[in-house]
Amino acid sequence: MAGIVKPPGAFAVTPHKVSVCILLQVYAPAAQISVPFPFSTVNQHNRLGLFLLSLTKSYDDIFEPKLDELIHQLRGIGGLLNYWLTDHLTSKLLALSSPDDLFNFFSDMRGILGGPEAGVLEDDQVILDPNSHLGMFLRRCILAFNLLSFEGACHLLTSIGMYCKEAISSCPPYEAPHLDDSSNDLETPPEYENMELENLVFEKVTEEIEARERAGGRVSFHLHAPQALVGLVEDIEVPGDPEFKHGGKLREACHYAHPTSNTLRDLDPSGGIFLRTNWQIQGFLQEQADALEKQGSSFSLNDFELMLRQLQKLAPELHRVHFLRYLNGLYHDDCIAALENVHRYFDYSAGIEGFDFVPPASGCNTFGRYEIALLCLGMMHFHFGHPKQALEVLTEAVHFSQLQSNDTCLAYTLAAICNLLSETGISSTTGILGSSYSPLTRIGISLSVQQQLFVLLRGSLKRAENLKLKRLVASNHLAMAKFDLTHVQRPLVSFGPKASMKLRTSPINVCKELRLSSQLISEFGSETSSMTTDGAFSTAWLKNLQKPMDSQVLSQESGSGSNNAFQFCAQPSSVPASVLQLVGSSYLLRATAWEIYGSSSLARFNALVHATCFPDVSSSSDTALAYLKLIQHLAVFKGYKEAFAALKIAAEKFLSVSKSRILLLKLQLLHERALHRGHLKLAQQVCDELGVLASSVTGVDMELKTEASLRNARTLLAANQFSEAAAVAHSLFCMCYKFNMQVENASVLLLLAEIHKKSGNAVLGLPYALASLSFCQSFNLDLLKASATLTLAELWLSLGSNHAKRALSLVHGAFPMILGQGGLELRARAFIVEAKCYLSDPSFSVFEDSDVVLDPLRQASDELQLLEYHELAAEAFYLTAMVFDKLGRLEDREDAAASFKKHILALENPQDEEDPLANIF
């Protein structure tokens, strides 16, 4: 009779699924089926069940395993059981010689399912719950077989024959098991002795194939399921292109497998390669997307693109391939390819496939998700450094999300706009956000960008909480913490009675938001994807079976060695990777917060926690940032030698970000060391490189632009070009004020005070130092406040010796912060200023207490030599020589004078080393 035509993507019976059904029959034999119980212990039986569960859930590959691969995996079960299972499996496969055999086989499989029709159960009988994963798998196999036409059943038989025959070339003859294994109670059947399974399999398969080729008559078959049942079979399950086999070389080069065609819906007897279920394929592609996001540009561009193109050719209806090609172009900075593929994805799939956060709301636009396409396009523009285009596209996405009543997309779009406004320098959004969203603009109130950002953050957080999008809630809490870290909250309305308000940031609010974001880890269960957790565990379990350690552990049949592999092998965390990534980001933000607040020890601790506990789930960019924070700590507290050694290791580890953050840190360290050594030519070259990185060609990064201008001003100051340095610093202050970069303003004001101090205009420097102190108090910049206090003390000291006591009081007030959290340079400066205050005080006598001056100068000289800071080191040795001269210690005076001369000569004649910029890229 004519067979029923299967719909695209139907769940099909394959030789591998037949093999799994045979093993399921061993695991839970029906009462009417005479299958010898091969298990000597309960642990062996449980291990086989776990093996079958992992086989049907793992997504380490897109292809189903061949028979030789399945036999190899069975060996991981351990003991003599795998020999029995292998022989039983091959015997049952070879016994299927006609469509009636297949029908009888699947009819018998119904007996292992429990339920009302199961009948009376025996005491030791094991049954499968029909609603369990294995029970559902078996029911779908039975249903898919019943939907097969007669020709389909014949094709299945031929494929099973090829499935067995292909295993011959790669499966070696079985060796006799070790009968003296005292830890295994399984009796070895006599037919295993001196068995040549390879020849046996070859002969039987050859006979079966020849018999099928000679057979021309029809074989009686049975009726099939009605057409209504076809809709219940949903998964993609199709054979592969016969020309596209498992690529051994590509498998060695890449950790992902190359999927084959899922367009052919009839089994190809000459192929022998079959795709796994849609659930497993989507899990595999999701794993590749996560790996691409984590590894960034270090992910192999060409190999991955080749695999995606082949998959696109063989499976054109799998539109998620276009989205992965978009991500591949995005993370490899290929704007044209990313733009082309994001358009293709939404043109072909209407943006529905692959987006779990979009609920199928009734009444929503069924012709596509235009607002989601705009969201992806806006994020792409943001990634490539086009903030204005990104803001325009995201604003349009807001309007369409409101029009389509897509609250979820609206929440994500608002979060993306918040991220855009906080990360890029946009001085005005007039005419872009419009007046349709913000309620304040409707009554004629003009809001700054920062005020609009605050309104959007609160709105996005409220929407995410109402929609119970826990990951977005945690992300918004991090954004709020970042906002509170650098912004003073002012009232949004300027009319009405003005209540007294302290214009200060709130570290308590920052800590509160960070704690709220971290609470996500205890609430992940409701959003956990079974594809992610179950598939990851099953994939890891199967991989662990092949490890030597596991085979040794699992081969023991008693004692502690009978525990499963989960106790001995690293398994994936049950917490979703996206949740762990957010938790890791909270530690990075904690490190940044403590850097701003001035606690170097806590900043180092949080960066160390991220680098140690979250490298496997965080992106390479975030992990590199944690490493760079630790390297900065090394440079400040240990000197440049150890910092450059650690930087070299980080550059080799994070090749994908070597031209961004790692390059920026290397330029910063080179500039600092060049200034300390007096190598102004090299310092200017580094400033030029920073200026190139801050160019608007690659997108405006205000932080990088500020860093380049700040270092340019410091270079001009070191060259005693005071007017030029002051002009650059003043321009930088205006830019920071325009974009509300108040934390940076504190540093710029302090630099202006330094310029006036060094130029001899201490009176002009005092207002800048006091203004910097005011900014530091408002934003809780404790360590920068200590540095500004030190500069203020130097300015007072420059006004005359009658201000020495005031300057000394300021230095002693800043000492707890400087000695507790300050680096080598800041501590050395403080010691030198303290000594100068004592020496400038007319009431101080060196003869009475010389150690009060000599001890800090000695500590300062030791720390400055680690930094190779020749100018300050020369000043420290100069003051030391003066003290020794007053004390009459001539020999110590000459030693200090010699050290002073050495540093002066090194400062005036910097040694030309190998060009550090030659291999910087």
Side-chain angles (χ1 to χ4, degrees):
M1 59 174 293
I4 298 175
V5 179
K6 295 180 297 182
F11 184 100
V13 184
T14 62
H16 173 70
K17 289 185 177 63
V18 174
S19 299
V20 175
C21 290
I22 293 173
L23 295 176
L24 277 174
Q25 202 175 53
V26 176
Y27 174 73
Q32 67 273 20
I33 303 177
S34 59
V35 176
F37 197 74
F39 308 106
S40 58
T41 64
V42 176
N43 189 41
Q44 282 185 333
H45 183 260
N46 293 338
R47 198 177 305 142
L48 177 60
L50 186 58
F51 173 76
L52 294 173
L53 190 66
S54 300
L55 270 183
T56 55
K57 285 189 174 184
S58 65
Y59 49 68
D60 58 323
D61 199 345
I62 289 182
F63 300 111
E64 288 185 341
K66 295 184 179 180
L67 181 57
D68 59 320
E69 296 173 351
L70 180 60
I71 291 174
H72 182 71
Q73 290 175 329
L74 279 173
R75 295 175 186 170
I77 295 182
L80 300 177
L81 178 62
N82 69 86
Y83 293 103
W84 189 94
L85 290 175
T86 301
D87 180 67
H88 179 77
L89 175 62
T90 53
S91 300
K92 292 288 290 183
L93 286 173
L94 294 174
L96 300 174
S97 58
S98 68
D100 276 333
D101 292 336
L102 283 174
F103 179 81
N104 294 332
F105 170 75
F106 281 103
S107 297
D108 293 340
M109 293 302 297
R110 296 176 180 270
I112 70 176
L113 291 172
E117 301 177 358
V120 181
L121 300 180
E122 300 180 2
D123 293 338
D124 57 348
Q125 185 179 354
V126 179
I127 62 171
L128 287 181
D129 184 354
N131 296 321
S132 66
H133 179 79
L134 291 178
M136 290 292 295
F137 174 82
L138 181 57
R139 290 166 60 192
R140 299 181 73 186
C141 288
I142 296 172
L143 175 59
F145 174 77
N146 289 336
L147 294 175
L148 279 181
S149 64
F150 171 74
E151 292 79 6
C154 293
H155 279 248
L156 177 59
L157 283 172
T158 307
S159 298
I160 292 175
M162 295 299 299
Y163 177 71
C164 297
K165 187 174 182 180
E166 288 179 355
I168 296 175
S169 59
S170 57
C171 185
Y174 284 91
E175 299 177 357
H178 299 284
L179 299 178
D180 56 348
D181 187 358
S182 59
S183 63
N184 196 317
D185 299 331
L186 182 65
E187 296 183 0
T188 306
E191 57 267 22
Y192 285 109
E193 299 180 1
N194 301 323
M195 181 177 62
E196 296 182 0
L197 183 60
E198 182 174 342
N199 296 332
L200 176 64
V201 172
F202 179 79
E203 292 174 0
K204 289 189 176 183
V205 171
T206 304
E207 292 175 359
E208 291 295 333
I209 293 177
E210 293 176 353
R212 292 170 195 165
E213 292 177 351
R214 292 192 301 266
R218 300 180 62 88
V219 182
S220 60
F221 200 52
H222 304 271
L223 296 178
H224 309 289
Q227 180 71 28
L229 292 179
V230 176
L232 299 177
V233 188
E234 299 173 351
D235 277 347
I236 297 177
E237 190 60 53
V238 291
D241 192 330
E243 297 179 358
F244 191 67
K245 306 294 182 180
H246 286 274
K249 294 182 180 180
L250 291 177
R251 282 179 177 273
E252 295 176 1
C254 309
H255 70 279
Y256 46 77
H258 289 209
T260 57
S261 171
N262 64 351
T263 59
L264 304 175
R265 289 177 294 275
D266 291 326
L267 293 173
D268 188 354
S270 62
I273 297 179
F274 305 91
L275 289 178
R276 297 193 179 190
T277 64
N278 181 48
W279 188 88
Q280 292 173 303
I281 293 175
Q282 294 290 350
F284 177 84
L285 294 179
Q286 181 62 46
E287 186 182 54
Q288 302 308 308
D290 293 341
L292 182 60
E293 180 182 3
K294 178 182 180 296
Q295 300 176 23
S297 57
S298 63
F299 202 81
S300 177
L301 170 64
N302 295 329
D303 292 338
F304 190 53
E305 181 68 16
L306 176 62
M307 186 272 286
L308 291 177
R309 286 184 179 181
Q310 291 170 332
L311 182 57
Q312 179 184 344
K313 179 181 178 181
L314 299 170
E317 68 269 23
L318 194 61
H319 303 303
R320 191 178 180 86
V321 174
H322 296 294
F323 192 77
L324 286 175
R325 293 187 66 188
Y326 153 71
L327 292 179
N328 197 31
L330 185 72
Y331 289 108
H332 288 91
D333 296 329
D334 190 344
C335 183
I336 297 177
L339 182 62
E340 179 183 359
N341 284 286
V342 74
H343 279 294
R344 285 182 177 178
Y345 172 72
F346 285 98
D347 287 342
Y348 294 155
S349 70
I352 298 177
E353 181 188 37
F355 282 92
D356 297 333
F357 64 82
V358 181
S362 59
C364 199
N365 183 13
T366 58
F367 295 100
R369 303 288 186 179
Y370 183 60
E371 61 275 15
I372 302 178
L374 291 172
L375 174 58
C376 289
L377 185 61
M379 295 175 68
M380 187 198 73
H381 281 301
F382 174 46
H383 177 85
F384 287 113
H386 310 146
K388 290 187 177 180
Q389 295 92 322
L391 189 56
E392 291 175 357
V393 173
L394 291 175
T395 305
E396 188 176 359
V398 170
H399 298 328
F400 271 91
S401 297
Q402 294 173 331
L403 185 64
Q404 300 296 335
S405 300
N406 194 337
D407 293 332
T408 306
C409 185
L410 178 60
Y412 278 91
T413 306
L414 292 177
I417 293 177
C418 294
N419 189 29
L420 172 65
L421 294 179
S422 62
E423 293 292 337
T424 59
I426 299 178
S427 60
S428 175
T429 58
T430 304
I432 298 179
L433 289 179
S435 60
S436 62
Y437 179 75
S438 176
L440 295 174
T441 57
R442 298 177 184 175
I443 58 176
I445 299 176
S446 177
L447 300 180
S448 67
V449 176
Q450 286 68 36
Q451 289 173 320
Q452 291 189 47
L453 175 58
F454 181 67
V455 172
L456 289 173
L457 280 172
R458 291 199 305 185
S460 178
L461 178 59
K462 184 177 180 180
R463 286 182 177 275
E465 289 176 343
N466 292 337
L467 295 172
K468 298 181 180 180
L469 303 173
K470 292 184 172 59
R471 289 173 175 82
L472 187 58
V473 169
S475 180
N476 282 332
H477 279 303
L478 289 179
M480 287 294 297
K482 190 174 182 180
F483 181 87
D484 291 337
L485 186 62
T486 56
H487 292 82
V488 175
Q489 294 187 13
R490 293 180 171 86
L492 297 178
V493 292
S494 57
F495 55 85
K498 296 184 178 180
S500 60
M501 180 180 63
K502 294 183 179 180
L503 298 179
R504 295 177 64 110
T505 58
S506 177
I508 295 178
N509 288 341
V510 174
C511 294
K512 176 184 176 182
E513 297 293 345
L514 288 172
R515 288 178 62 87
L516 288 174
S517 68
S518 299
Q519 290 179 358
L520 172 70
I521 198 170
S522 62
E523 302 176 359
F524 70 92
S526 60
E527 289 193 7
T528 300
S529 170
S530 60
M531 177 187 296
T532 303
T533 54
D534 295 353
F537 269 94
S538 300
T539 302
W541 194 86
L542 285 178
K543 289 181 179 179
N544 288 333
L545 276 182
Q546 313 306 321
K547 296 181 180 180
M549 178 181 66
D550 291 281
S551 59
Q552 293 175 6
V553 171
L554 296 177
S555 64
Q556 301 176 12
E557 301 299 330
S558 60
S560 60
S562 62
N563 295 330
N564 59 41
F566 286 100
Q567 299 180 1
F568 298 92
C569 303
Q571 296 293 328
S573 173
S574 59
V575 182
S578 58
V579 175
L580 291 177
Q581 187 176 10
L582 282 173
V583 176
S585 298
S586 70
Y587 279 97
L588 269 184
L589 188 55
R590 283 186 176 94
T592 303
W594 287 120
E595 284 178 355
I596 292 177
Y597 293 148
S599 179
S600 302
S601 56
L602 287 176
R604 176 179 175 271
F605 169 77
N606 284 280
L608 193 60
V609 168
H610 185 280
T612 305
C613 301
F614 301 97
D616 295 333
V617 294
S618 298
S619 65
S620 57
S621 178
D622 284 350
T623 308
L625 180 59
Y627 275 73
L628 297 185
K629 289 182 180 294
L630 295 174
I631 294 172
Q632 285 177 321
H633 188 273
L634 277 178
V636 172
F637 288 89
K638 298 294 182 180
Y640 298 113
K641 184 178 180 180
E642 295 190 18
F644 276 110
L647 186 63
K648 183 178 180 181
I649 298 174
E652 295 174 353
K653 183 178 179 64
F654 302 102
L655 295 176
S656 62
V657 292
S658 60
K659 291 187 178 181
S660 54
R661 289 177 174 172
I662 290 182
L663 173 59
L664 177 61
L665 179 59
K666 185 173 183 179
L667 290 174
Q668 290 172 337
L669 295 181
L670 286 174
H671 185 262
E672 290 287 345
R673 190 177 66 173
L675 289 182
H676 289 168
R677 289 180 171 182
H679 204 323
L680 299 183
K681 182 179 179 181
L682 175 60
Q684 187 58 50
Q685 291 177 354
V686 175
C687 285
D688 294 338
E689 296 291 344
L690 285 171
V692 172
L693 290 179
S695 172
S696 59
V697 175
T698 57
V700 179
D701 188 336
M702 296 306 299
E703 182 179 354
L704 184 55
K705 191 174 182 179
T706 303
E707 180 74 14
S709 299
L710 193 62
R711 292 191 176 274
N712 186 29
R714 290 185 57 193
T715 304
L716 294 172
L717 175 61
N720 294 327
Q721 299 180 18
F722 304 119
S723 58
E724 292 84 353
V728 173
H730 183 266
S731 176
L732 179 58
F733 176 82
C734 294
M735 184 188 72
C736 293
Y737 183 81
K738 177 182 179 181
F739 292 100
N740 201 31
M741 302 170 66
Q742 306 297 353
V743 175
E744 289 77 7
N745 268 339
S747 299
V748 177
L749 288 170
L750 185 57
L751 176 61
L752 285 168
E754 292 280 350
I755 293 173
H756 288 292
K757 181 194 74 174
K758 195 170 182 180
S759 64
N761 297 319
V763 175
L764 294 178
L766 283 174
Y768 291 107
L770 292 172
S772 180
L773 276 175
S774 177
F775 272 93
C776 292
Q777 290 176 351
S778 296
F779 293 94
N780 297 282
L781 312 176
D782 293 344
L783 192 58
L784 188 60
K785 177 184 175 183
S787 180
T789 303
L790 198 59
T791 301
L792 183 63
E794 291 179 292
L795 290 171
W796 281 116
L797 194 60
S798 300
L799 295 178
S801 59
N802 55 331
H803 297 287
K805 290 185 180 295
R806 176 183 293 179
L808 185 61
S809 176
L810 289 172
V811 173
H812 285 169
F815 256 165
M817 190 66 192
I818 293 175
L819 298 181
Q821 305 295 337
L824 295 175
E825 180 181 350
L826 186 58
R827 289 203 303 262
R829 278 186 57 206
F831 287 137
I832 292 175
V833 174
E834 182 190 26
K836 289 169 67 176
C837 290
Y838 280 118
L839 293 175
S840 301
D841 189 358
S843 63
F844 176 76
S845 174
V846 176
F847 301 99
E848 294 179 359
D849 196 358
S850 60
D851 291 338
V852 173
V853 178
L854 290 177
D855 286 344
L857 288 176
R858 188 178 299 111
Q859 293 183 52
S861 60
D862 292 341
E863 293 177 347
L864 291 170
Q865 289 184 89
L866 285 175
L867 288 174
E868 301 177 79
Y869 198 164
H870 297 311
E871 184 179 2
L872 274 185
E875 184 177 3
F877 282 113
Y878 175 77
L879 295 175
T880 304
M882 287 181 56
V883 174
F884 283 139
D885 183 65
K886 290 182 180 181
L887 295 176
R889 297 166 58 176
L890 301 182
E891 184 176 353
D892 293 333
R893 182 196 66 183
E894 293 302 321
D895 291 340
S899 298
F900 165 77
K901 181 179 179 180
K902 181 184 70 173
H903 284 285
I904 289 295
L905 292 176
L907 183 64
E908 295 177 349
N909 303 294
Q911 297 179 356
D912 292 331
E913 301 178 354
E914 182 182 355
D915 187 5
L917 295 177
N919 300 321
I920 196 168
F921 296 102

